Amino acid sequence: MNQKQARKRVEELRDLIDRANKAYYDEARPFISDKEFDEALKELNALEKKFDLASPDSPTRRVGGTPSESFPDVEHPVPMLSLDNTYNEDELREFDRRVRQILGQQNYTYSAELKFDGAAIRLRYEDGELVLGATRGDGYRGDDITQNIKTIRDIPLTLNGDNKNNGISPVVEIRGEAYMEKEAFLRLNEFREEQGLSPFANPRNSTAGTLKMQDPREVARRPIRFFAFDLLLNSAEGPSTHIEKMNFLEKLGLPVSPYLSAHKDIEEVIETIHKWEKIRHDLPYETDGVVVKVNEEAFRPELGNTSKAPRWAIAYKFEAEQAPTLLSSITLQVGRLGKITPVAELKPVQLAGTTVKRASLHNEDEIHRKDIRTGDTVMVEKAGEIIPQVISVVNPDRKNRSEPFKMPKNCPACNEKLEKLQGEVDWRCVNTECPPQVRERIIHFASRDAMDIEGLGEAVVDQLVENNLIQTYIDLYSLTTDQLIPLERMAEKSARNLVGAIEKSKAQPLDRLIYALGIRFVGKTVARDLTQDFQSIDPILNASNQDLVEIDSIGPKIAESVVKFFSHEKNRKLIEKFRDLGFRLETDKPVKFSNVLEGKKFVLTGSLPSLTRKEASELIEQHGGKTTSSVSKNTDYVLAGESAGSKYEKAEKLGIPILDESSFMEMIKG
């Protein structure tokens, strides 16, 4: 390989690793295995050294993902570095040789502990009280997710004992792993599929996704667990070895791994790895390896760090269990909101203690990338040891292979034409009457933030669908009391109340109806902005992509989704039925007190002293202005309160005026 070829390969690897990091850390949707990622990183590192192509922004110099814009970011006083990985014992012995070379004749030991497959987080206690919980982020700055962290029951809000009498600083910094147990993960994915959401790839990604949710109440409903794996010390006081630190953390009330041991040399460590690898499938949580550390705290500064990993620790990664089997056919599964997922039907095979008969093929592009065909012998792996997936074809050169897979043009459930948004990989059925979608669309339609139909819960919807009383949400409006009374737990009074609640929902404002339709990417904010800009349903029905992207909160992907939905003939007929039933298909013109804010665009962030966000938005509209959800060069003002986050910082960078509540109130007085 010459310099030019090396430079091209380095660029390819950096792009692959950056995309993989974004998918893994920011989107919780990995597209390559851990081993593929590690091999790509190792190849990149070797090429950078050999051809002198190192760069400060290379993935070989950085840790993980970047802090998100959804939370305030915090700086880590001590960087949260990643660990160097190895998949073989010889590299463990090489790690030991490097340690011995630096420490010379000094006596040292090793600690070994199971590596949990979750998300690293940082905790900060002051005078025994939890004051901060943060993600690792890029290793130097992470997201402040304190309110979410406080919902994790394993994490104490107050430490046991009196810090001042424990021989350590009143400020305690702890590192640990948030994780989700296998059974809880499977239940969560079942729930997500019922809601029409994509299942998480593994417990690690479900944990990472949960920690970055905006509503702590939703986080509290997720079964996140925690193990502490490090205590940072500000002085020579306190525990002198890693094992002692873990024992001390237990006394403080933090859970630590029961799979933790001290060893006199690396050969003892390797024996323990063999022992733990045999039992790991029987544990209730996922483990992907063993972390090996120099046990003595005093040697850490002497051994030091690279730009992204400590030299006093290494992670031995377990190989994911794989097995070959025959792919007998490829079927299609229709998701609750229309996503079409190809599924490999397999000759049953034993894998990680279970029998695997089916495996997701994710999407058409993935099938073509791996050139997977019916009749192939394929290698199957359990991603995160839970969800089976096809890794590769074992015999791609065999004679008389079947034809390459081709996605059908029509939905296998309702025969309507399938759609794919530009830049997306998934095909979808946007027919609201498609049978697999009916239940979830109706539940969403009746939900509190949509049409708010009291009494129309999941159990009632299930009975209505099973008894063929409804096929789409428009059928709700022809239900009678006599049809409802025979349903389980539905007396005459309940039936009358439900019919009344359905009738009452016709008076809901247009933005709620738009949201209730279940158009992909159209949440409450986009629905509100659509109705504010167009004022009635008809211009929305006929809007072009260009018309839609002129609205601040709507980008090309949302615009394309809206246009595709309303270009579907059945969906347009649905709107006409709503019109015939007397729904409100125009917005009420807002009461205007003045034009002092005419043409001005505001973004709200943080908690205002006396106004709720809704009240502040109404005041802006009543004085001729408009609120948008994100800060851009087109924003005129940011109205900021307490705990303002990244929007405040972005406004500062762009030079956009920032108002507090009192300045805003003075402004609207004229």
Side-chain angles (χ1 to χ4, degrees), residues 586-649:
E586 295 184 350
T587 60
D588 294 328
K589 292 188 177 179
V591 177
K592 288 189 76 173
F593 297 145
S594 78
N595 293 319
V596 70
L597 304 180
E598 190 70 44
K600 302 299 182 185
K601 294 176 182 176
F602 286 74
V603 171
L604 307 179
T605 183
S607 302
L608 298 172
S610 62
L611 294 172
T612 65
R613 286 206 180 190
K614 184 178 179 183
E615 290 168 342
S617 295
E618 287 173 352
L619 279 173
I620 290 167
E621 290 164 17
Q622 288 164 358
H623 291 275
K626 180 182 175 183
T627 58
T628 60
S629 57
S630 58
V631 177
S632 71
K633 62 183 180 181
N634 297 319
T635 304
D636 293 294
Y637 296 99
V638 167
L639 177 53
E642 188 179 347
S643 300
S646 57
K647 292 178 182 178
Y648 186 101
E649 294 174 5

Side-chain angles (χ1 to χ4, degrees), residues 116-121 123 145 148-149 151-156 175-185 187-188 203-204 206-208 210-211 219-229 253-258 283-286:
F116 301 101
D117 203 8
I121 56 176
L123 307 177
I145 54 168
N148 288 348
I149 291 294
T151 70
I152 301 174
R153 294 185 179 182
D154 284 345
I155 297 176
R175 306 282 169 84
E177 196 86 0
Y179 68 95
M180 191 175 287
E181 293 186 335
K182 296 174 185 176
E183 286 298 321
F185 166 73
R187 289 196 301 271
L188 174 61
R204 172 187 61 212
S206 65
T207 301
T210 297
L211 291 176
V219 179
R221 295 188 183 105
R222 303 277 184 93
I224 302 295
R225 304 295 305 274
F226 176 79
F227 278 130
F229 60 62
L254 287 139
V256 301
S257 170
L283 300 176
Y285 38 74
E286 284 306 319

Side-chain angles (χ1 to χ4, degrees), residues 256-276:
V256 301
S257 170
Y259 295 93
L260 172 71
S261 54
H263 303 280
K264 69 177 187 290
D265 57 35
I266 202 68
E267 295 305 323
E268 267 195 10
V269 170
I270 291 170
E271 285 179 24
T272 296
I273 288 172
H274 291 163
K275 182 174 68 176
W276 287 347

Side-chain angles (χ1 to χ4, degrees), residues 348-378:
V349 61
Q350 283 294 118
L351 192 60
T354 60
T355 301
V356 174
K357 299 178 181 179
R358 308 179 84 217
S360 172
L361 294 171
H362 303 295
N363 53 65
E364 183 184 25
D365 290 358
E366 185 73 358
I367 294 174
H368 291 161
R369 185 178 74 82
K370 295 176 179 175
D371 193 20
I372 298 168
R373 308 187 194 186
T374 299
D376 286 344
T377 297
V378 294

Side-chain angles (χ1 to χ4, degrees), residues 110-143:
Y110 285 115
S111 68
E113 59 196 302
L114 276 179
K115 183 177 182 297
F116 301 101
D117 203 8
I121 56 176
R122 165 194 163 206
L123 307 177
R124 182 181 178 89
Y125 289 84
E126 295 180 2
D127 294 324
E129 300 292 325
L130 179 65
V131 297
L132 176 70
T135 64
R136 180 166 66 177
D138 63 5
Y140 298 91
R141 299 183 72 84
D143 292 323

Side-chain angles (χ1 to χ4, degrees), residues 43 129 173 206 237 302 305 383 437 464 498 510 544 557 624 662:
E43 182 186 353
E129 300 292 325
E173 286 272 347
S206 65
E237 296 177 339
E302 189 174 348
N305 307 310
Q437 301 181 58
L464 293 173
L498 180 53
L510 178 58
S544 66
K557 188 177 283 190
S662 61

